[in-house]
Amino acid sequence: MSNSIDWFKKNLFNGWLNSVLTVVCFYLVIKFGAGVIQWLFIDSVWEGTSQTCRQADGACLVFIKEKFLFILFGFYPREIIWRPITGVFIFCLLLFLTMNRKFWSKKLIYGWFLSFIVMAILLKGGVLGFVPVDSDKWGGLPLTLILATVGLIFSYPLGILLALGRRSEMPIIKSFSVIYIEIIRGVPLISVLFMSSVVFPLFLPEGMVINKVFRAQVAIIMFISAYMAEVVRGGLQAIPKGQYEAAQALGLGYWQSMVKIILPQALRVVIPPTVNTAIGMFKDTSLVIIIALFDLMYTTKASLQDPNWLGFTLEAYAFVACIYFIFCFSMSRFSQRLEADIKSKQEH
Amino acid sequence: MSGPMIKIQNLNKWYGDFHVLKDVNLDVQKSEKIVICGPSGSGKSTLIRCMNRLEIHQKGSLIVDGIELTDDVKNLEIVRREVGMVFQHFNLFPHLTILENLTLAPRWVRKMSKKDAVELAMHYLERVQISEQAHKYPGQLSGGQQQRVAIARSLCMKPKIMLFDEPTSALDPEMVKEVLDVMVSLADDGMTMLCVTHEMGFAKSVADRVIFMDAGTIVEENNPEDFFSNPQHERTKEFLGQILH
């Protein structure tokens, strides 16, 4: 008991400034927290219709119950909605396994590879007796997850190659990398998406159509890889010259020394900014809205356009914010664990 | 092969306008042990770093084990396999265990099987008396231990020539001896060695020849007895006076 009082004294009421700050913070937390609790749990409506909701002060959870399938899966035909649900479930399971280093193995890589095929079959259909579903109807969480994970899986190695290219002594490769990175970083993602969706098809031969999701995916990969490249380059620069020299002196070739010596160290150094970029990308996928792909953010907006449910903006956005938060926060936790893991192993 | 292991003729190198090596000539015979000393900035480190082309020379020729060092990458990789190098700051790979540091090059450059590479690595770790640390990371070892690991790492490639670039200058004084002991035992085995060092005790007991460099040229070279007891040049005398007190 006296221990906890000491703790309070030491940590919260150490000097008058700290005491004032503590009191003010407590006041704000209680006031704000109470408001949220009041809204979400006490005044909230769990049963009824939109009419019941409109008469109440609290959150309209009926709206979420009514709309969450639409927010999560968009216009996907309701009678076969188990397909995207299964797909997302497999994806999340793999993400969960990937976040634990214990499960890192070749099997996991095969698992990912397989899951993309399964996801494609589930969403697209047309094989194994599955009813085909047009990509216009894909939406919500599966689309966001696909754009983000496929985007990351491709843009990370591509970014590494670009970073190596930028530091290369071969003039053509070097200038290509520099020009690519600077051009892509110089334009907003929206314009890259727009180019891939509107301008690029103009150059295709008549009648040739490339899937819209695919085009958006390529645009995202192109865009993020430029950012990844600069993150990785930072890591490469942090590696002391002696490491390159030791690798050379042992007779290792360029690729051997990069793959075995330099990159493992460089990529570890830049775990925080890499995850930062990944989180940014996860949220940036919501921009595909401008080329009429219905990602999680769009389906949320669309759910509010139901005349019966106009005006429940707060509920809708709070709900979708929670989903984004779960994914982004997991990524951030993952990066912290990874760093701690590596540090404890090498004991620097 | 009868010719010298290393044949250096009229070697010149510039860093920008700065002329680091000026017409250096040097032949190193098989099993010869050479100690290179000189004031800092004299070009001694640059000279031995030219021998495995960590530094690129601009003029003259440098032939190592019968292969001339040029821009040819294939030849260079062959030379680097035969020439081991030990650095002032050890340059162990911090993300790999000691054992992995040692097996990496034999496995990927010499294409040895993992089992053989581990066996070889353990052999050399025992030789530098550090085998019990095989599964630790470099960051967990003392400086002296790290440098011994670095020597063992080079030896795992079974080099014909070993280059030492001030191997003891980054060490705490009490750790210098353990590293020198390893180097002496290497010398006893007949390794061809070039060593940039200020450890004059080592030079006296091991070297076949001592070379004194100043301002990018070899000022004087002699066997250790005459070099230390009877230096010919003013600059050598001055240098020896400074480091021997």
Side-chain angles (χ1 to χ4, degrees), chain A residues 241-243 245-254 256 260-262 264-265 268 344-348, chain B residues 49 52 54 77 80-81 83 85 87 91-96 104-105 108-109 111 137 139-140 153-154 157:
Chain A
K241 210 172 135 223
Q243 294 289 308
E245 289 178 348
Q248 284 175 355
L250 285 169
L252 291 163
Y254 175 80
Q256 285 176 331
K260 295 281 166 195
I261 310 293
I262 305 302
Q265 296 183 61
R268 278 168 203 198
S344 74
K345 209 174 74 171
Q346 293 182 8
E347 271 182 41
H348 275 305
Chain B
R49 285 162 61 86
N52 62 355
L54 287 181
E77 280 175 12
R80 281 177 175 164
R81 274 174 229 170
V83 180
M85 184 161 214
F87 299 87
N91 297 352
L92 294 178
F93 306 130
H95 63 300
L96 300 177
L104 187 95
W108 298 99
V109 181
K111 313 286 180 202
Y137 285 86
Q140 297 165 305
R153 178 175 70 177
S154 288
M157 285 296 284

Side-chain angles (χ1 to χ4, degrees), chain B residues 110-151:
Chain B
R110 292 251 190 251
K111 313 286 180 202
M112 220 178 255
S113 75
K114 185 175 178 186
K115 189 172 157 285
D116 290 349
V118 168
E119 226 164 78
L120 183 75
M122 288 314 290
H123 167 76
Y124 282 112
L125 281 180
E126 264 153 41
R127 173 150 187 196
V128 301
Q129 289 165 16
I130 215 159
S131 51
E132 71 283 359
Q133 317 275 14
H135 297 285
K136 288 193 179 167
Y137 285 86
Q140 297 165 305
L141 267 54
S142 76
Q145 290 174 322
Q146 289 195 48
Q147 193 61 298
R148 275 146 60 197
V149 171
I151 295 173

Side-chain angles (χ1 to χ4, degrees), chain B residues 22-73:
Chain B
K22 299 169 188 161
D23 284 325
V24 174
N25 289 288
L26 180 67
D27 281 3
V28 182
Q29 303 302 327
K30 189 167 175 357
S31 288
E32 204 176 6
K33 291 112 190 77
I34 293 180
V35 165
I36 305 171
C37 58
S40 66
S42 58
K44 53 194 193 304
S45 277
T46 309
L47 176 64
I48 79 162
R49 285 162 61 86
C50 280
M51 293 179 199
N52 62 355
R53 212 168 165 80
L54 287 181
E55 301 287 351
I56 294 169
H57 60 274
Q58 278 96 20
K59 239 176 82 184
S61 80
L62 216 162
I63 298 168
V64 178
D65 196 23
I67 297 173
E68 172 151 21
L69 290 181
T70 58
D71 284 335
D72 186 335
V73 179

Side-chain angles (χ1 to χ4, degrees), chain B residues 15 36 40 56 84 102 114 116 123 165 192 209 222 239:
Chain B
Y15 288 125
I36 305 171
S40 66
I56 294 169
L102 267 69
K114 185 175 178 186
D116 290 349
H123 167 76
D165 187 3
T192 310
R209 250 193 299 168
N222 214 333
F239 175 75

Side-chain angles (χ1 to χ4, degrees), chain A residues 16-17 19 35 41 66 85 100 104 115 134 141 149 156-157 160 162 167 171 173 182 206 228 253 260 288 296 329:
Chain A
W16 68 269
L17 181 66
S19 306
F41 296 108
E66 191 76 13
I85 293 178
N100 195 331
W104 284 14
S115 80
D134 199 54
L141 190 59
T149 41
Y156 192 50
I160 293 173
L162 281 167
R167 284 169 62 89
I173 291 176
E182 294 306 331
E206 195 84 22
M228 280 296 181
K260 295 281 166 195
V288 294
L296 191 56
F329 187 65

